[in-house]
Amino acid sequence: MRPDAVRRVLDAELTAARHRRAGEAPRVLDVGGGSGVLAVALAAEGCSVTVVEPSPNALATLHRRAQEAGVADRITAVQGDSDALDQLVGAGSADLVLAHGLLEVVDDPAVTVTALAGALAPGGVLSVLVANRFAAVLHRAISGRLVDARRLLDDPAGTLGGPGEALLRRFDVEGLRALLAGGGLAVELIQGHSVVADLVTGSVLEANPGGPDALAELELVAAVTPPLRDIATRLHGVARR
């Protein structure tokens, strides 16, 4: 499949960062980067990547992946929480800051966004990927969990609560836009990620020659087309310092 909407934006931003830095390696900060799936891929493309992650097990997996990919020298792993980001990385040190799957689980997303913004170099970009409140409603309704769907719709934070709920909050387009702007950043893009891909079964793709490519192309257009964007499984926000 072709690059998805998120990677297309990140690739363009990394190209711009290389230009600003006169060909030097872009500096990427991946906060809550887990086991380094994205970090290793970016390091393989020539980026200098710092991963901040609280889990030692995830960092051990990151180290193994980096070694296997031959990019360990381009990745710096730091164990710690986003709450202490200003103590873990230098201010203004990153051309691109990634916070994918982070803002749903931190104690105070506004404080976290401010800290993420502080790590950006002038002209740098923050990329956030968050769970979409309205997609969660839709997916539960489709699966027959109608009571849960109504509860998610009624809750401004888009959560069910209780022991089975892993997220502290979900976002909608305007809420995400306001959060990023409140951190002193200029919001350049809010797009969807997995608008229809999570609704198309594997059997449908297998029955349609060229289906995966057609789906990828549809996703790229739907990602920036309201109201389709607004029901994507995740929302991708891009904001510049």
Side-chain angles (χ1 to χ4, degrees), residues 212-240:
D213 283 342
L215 177 59
E217 193 161 318
L218 174 61
E219 279 286 341
L220 288 176
V221 177
V224 293
T225 306
L228 290 173
R229 171 203 64 183
D230 303 342
I231 60 169
T233 301
R234 290 167 291 279
L235 296 173
H236 180 221
V238 177
R240 192 174 302 276

Side-chain angles (χ1 to χ4, degrees), residues 32-114:
S35 58
V37 173
L38 188 52
V40 169
L42 292 175
E45 295 170 11
C47 297
S48 175
V49 186
T50 298
V51 177
V52 174
E53 165 61 42
S55 168
N57 291 334
L59 291 177
T61 302
L62 164 63
H63 178 72
R64 183 174 68 252
R65 279 184 169 151
Q67 291 283 359
E68 291 172 351
V71 296
D73 59 326
R74 298 179 192 158
I75 296 179
T76 300
V78 180
Q79 185 175 353
D81 293 313
S82 60
D83 292 345
L85 191 61
D86 60 343
Q87 302 170 35
L88 301 174
V89 298
S93 61
D95 301 301
L96 173 64
V97 174
L98 306 175
H100 292 185
L102 177 69
L103 298 180
E104 303 96 317
V105 298
V106 297
D107 291 334
D108 190 329
V111 170
T112 298
V113 167
T114 298

Side-chain angles (χ1 to χ4, degrees), residues 88-210:
L88 301 174
V89 298
S93 61
D95 301 301
L96 173 64
V97 174
L98 306 175
H100 292 185
L102 177 69
L103 298 180
E104 303 96 317
V105 298
V106 297
D107 291 334
D108 190 329
V111 170
T112 298
V113 167
T114 298
L116 296 169
L120 283 170
V125 154
L126 169 63
S127 168
V128 302
L129 195 62
V130 298
N132 184 356
R133 172 189 174 199
F134 294 127
V137 173
L138 180 61
H139 291 173
R140 280 164 179 76
I142 290 173
S143 66
R145 297 170 59 187
L146 301 179
V147 173
D148 285 349
R150 177 57 190 271
R151 287 174 59 197
L152 284 170
L153 186 59
D154 289 343
D155 183 2
T159 61
L160 294 172
E165 178 65 271
L167 306 182
L168 297 178
R169 64 193 64 83
R170 295 178 176 86
F171 296 86
D172 57 35
V173 170
E174 293 311 313
L176 180 58
R177 190 187 305 278
L179 177 64
L180 295 175
L185 299 170
V187 181
E188 296 190 344
L189 175 68
I190 303 289
Q191 64 175 351
H193 183 251
S194 294
V195 179
V196 295
D198 289 347
L199 304 175
V200 179
T201 64
S203 60
V204 169
L205 293 178
E206 291 172 2
N208 288 273

